[in-house]
Amino acid sequence: MELIKNLNWRYATKKFDPIKKVSDEHLDQLKEAVTLSVSSYGLQLYKVLIVNNKEIREQLQPVSWNQSQITDASHLFVFCNYKDVTPNRIDEYIQLTAKKRQLDVEALKGYSDFMKMKLAEKTPQETSSWLKSQTYLALGNLLTACAELKIDACPMEGFDSDQYNDILGLDQKGLNASVVATIGYRHDEDHTQNLAKIRKPSELLFEEI
Ligand SMILES: Cc1cc2nc3c(=O)[nH]c(=O)nc-3n(C[C@H](O)[C@H](O)[C@H](O)COP(=O)(O)O)c2cc1C
């Protein structure tokens, strides 16, 4: 299985080559992989900012544990969850479904009401954690797609989410930076590329019952 080879090839890149850039063609393929990510009810309650701007990335680096990947990587993906689930977001999804599947919106009313009811049952804390968790599925697809294209990547939680929200003006858009990923090409000097992969043995990770 080629996927396993690719997953063994990838690693969380610590030092990127600042000269090498991901092509527009590859970027489009990565966007498609992110778009095709699964999400609860299919709602995709997030946005993905692709930050190219050098000055903005220089502002983000000090609030990202000073990690060099933020400025040296080719592109910075910021996965931002919506801060709450407003009924109109569900209506938008229903309208899109009706259009794509040539259905009457009324025929989807039962499903729409069910989603609204289930989501209203969550406490604000549950909603927040549920919304953030959606972005990690998209992150996973991005990392896997990068591995297939032999693009290096580093998933990152080492940043101050409030500061990202300020710098990127996310609050005004009802968004919150939940997780980021830097993508590009490894630097020859990144010694982590030579380290053995650390994973639990499968008998500890899996239990068949
Ligand atoms: C959600 C998440 C956040 C992470 N945050 C960081 C980070 O801020 N900086 C970093 O260098 N690596 C970060 N990592 C990388 C992990 O440390 C790495 O994936 C893990 O040690 C496994 O190693 P591998 O990815 O090289 O196989 C993060 C990984 C994940 C999944």
Side-chain angles (χ1 to χ4, degrees), residues 10-12 14 67 69 136 154-158 197 199:
R10 67 147 297 282
Y11 73 107
K14 304 292 176 212
Q67 298 185 82
Q69 298 99 314
Y136 284 73
C154 187
M156 302 173 84
E157 270 177 336
K197 224 177 227 325
R199 291 295 189 270

Side-chain angles (χ1 to χ4, degrees), residues 12 14 16 27-28 32 35 38 57 70 78 81 94 104 108 111 113 121 139 149 165 185 192:
K14 304 292 176 212
F16 284 90
L27 203 57
D28 284 344
E32 200 171 345
T35 305
V38 293
R57 283 167 58 174
I70 298 294
V78 183
N81 61 280
I94 291 291
D104 196 39
L108 297 165
Y111 186 45
D113 289 345
E121 282 171 7
L139 170 73
L149 293 172
N165 294 345
Y185 297 95
T192 43

Side-chain angles (χ1 to χ4, degrees), residues 9-197:
W9 172 85
R10 67 147 297 282
Y11 73 107
T13 306
K14 304 292 176 212
K15 192 172 165 66
F16 284 90
D17 186 333
I19 307 295
K20 295 186 184 156
K21 297 287 168 210
V22 172
S23 69
D24 287 345
E25 190 195 346
H26 278 168
L27 203 57
D28 284 344
Q29 287 175 304
L30 296 176
K31 283 167 149 176
E32 200 171 345
V34 169
T35 305
L36 288 169
S37 302
V38 293
S39 63
S40 294
Y41 300 112
L43 289 170
Q44 295 178 286
L45 293 171
Y46 52 81
K47 265 199 137 160
V48 187
L49 300 192
I50 303 174
V51 189
N52 232 333
N53 182 290
K54 189 172 174 285
E55 287 75 35
I56 296 179
R57 283 167 58 174
E58 278 167 0
Q59 272 181 274
L60 294 173
Q61 195 193 19
V63 296
S64 312
W65 302 357
N66 273 318
Q67 298 185 82
S68 67
Q69 298 99 314
I70 298 294
T71 44
D72 288 349
S74 170
H75 292 78
L76 166 68
F77 280 60
V78 183
F79 293 87
C80 311
N81 61 280
Y82 282 108
K83 286 197 280 191
D84 39 41
V85 196
T86 49
N88 72 308
R89 295 211 190 286
I90 295 173
D91 294 338
E92 276 166 19
Y93 170 75
I94 291 291
Q95 271 151 23
L96 185 62
T97 306
K99 190 173 157 215
K100 285 272 181 179
R101 295 190 175 159
Q102 293 167 355
L103 294 168
D104 196 39
V105 168
E106 267 309 296
L108 297 165
K109 189 175 181 312
Y111 186 45
S112 172
D113 289 345
F114 177 76
M115 285 190 279
K116 286 175 186 168
M117 180 189 76
K118 293 314 284 176
L119 294 173
E121 282 171 7
K122 290 186 192 293
T123 63
Q125 214 170 5
E126 284 168 346
T127 301
S128 166
S129 118
W130 178 76
L131 286 166
K132 282 182 196 156
S133 64
Q134 306 301 319
T135 61
Y136 284 73
L137 295 165
L139 170 73
N141 264 22
L142 174 69
L143 297 176
T144 307
C146 280
E148 180 169 332
L149 293 172
K150 295 287 185 287
I151 293 170
D152 288 298
C154 187
M156 302 173 84
E157 270 177 336
F159 67 95
D160 183 322
S161 176
D162 290 339
Q163 299 267 20
Y164 265 56
N165 294 345
D166 270 359
I167 294 168
L168 298 170
L170 298 175
D171 282 324
Q172 300 90 296
K173 296 179 182 164
L175 291 166
N176 166 67
S178 70
V179 68
V180 311
T182 43
I183 69 160
Y185 297 95
R186 63 188 70 175
H187 199 291
D188 292 343
E189 289 167 9
D190 186 0
H191 71 280
T192 43
Q193 65 190 289
N194 303 315
L195 299 176
K197 224 177 227 325

